[in-house]
Amino acid sequence: MDVPHPCPPTPSRVVTESGVDHVRLAYEYLDAGDVDGYGSLLDTDALGTGLERCRPPGIRHLITRIVADGYCVVVMGRLAPQHREFVDVFTLSAEGMLRSCRRYYADTQA
């Protein structure tokens, strides 16, 4: 039986740990306004992770937790100074570079 979209093999811990380091650096570069540094963390096939569009000027990322497994890194935190909570879900390349990012915000109405 052929599987139309087989899952890629699980990466080594080195790839996942490298991806976590790249995610941490991405926030540091974005908070410092270093667009070139941020771009150096993107996979060559990535058109941008979308994270750079989520950060208005003067905002800092305060990371509270990072969870990683395989090609996925999930970051929980809040934006300062408005204290808006977010969750970012990153997808890594086979080399641990950033391929994509999807941001979710906490429901402040609850």
Side-chain angles (χ1 to χ4, degrees):
M1 179 170 126
D2 289 334
V3 178
H5 301 288
C7 295
T10 302
S12 72
R13 280 185 42 182
V14 172
V15 169
T16 304
E17 290 170 5
S18 174
V20 169
D21 289 342
H22 289 149
V23 166
R24 287 182 193 276
L25 279 172
Y27 291 114
E28 288 182 28
Y29 288 150
L30 287 173
D31 289 350
D34 185 350
V35 178
D36 291 333
Y38 174 73
S40 72
L41 303 172
L42 302 180
D43 183 64
T44 56
D45 292 337
L47 299 175
T49 66
L51 187 60
E52 68 277 11
R53 294 186 299 273
C54 297
R55 188 198 162 270
I59 301 298
R60 296 199 44 87
H61 295 89
L62 303 173
I63 306 306
T64 56
R65 186 165 191 181
I66 297 178
V67 179
D69 185 40
Y71 293 106
C72 182
V73 179
V74 177
V75 178
M76 293 163 265
R78 65 182 186 282
L79 300 173
Q82 77 273 37
H83 302 292
R84 187 172 187 192
E85 293 181 352
F86 70 90
V87 173
D88 287 337
V89 180
F90 288 88
T91 303
L92 305 175
S93 72
E95 295 79 27
M97 304 302 284
L98 309 181
R99 290 190 67 120
S100 66
C101 178
R102 180 110 186 187
R103 175 164 284 179
Y104 301 91
Y105 291 103
D107 182 7
T108 57
Q109 303 293 326

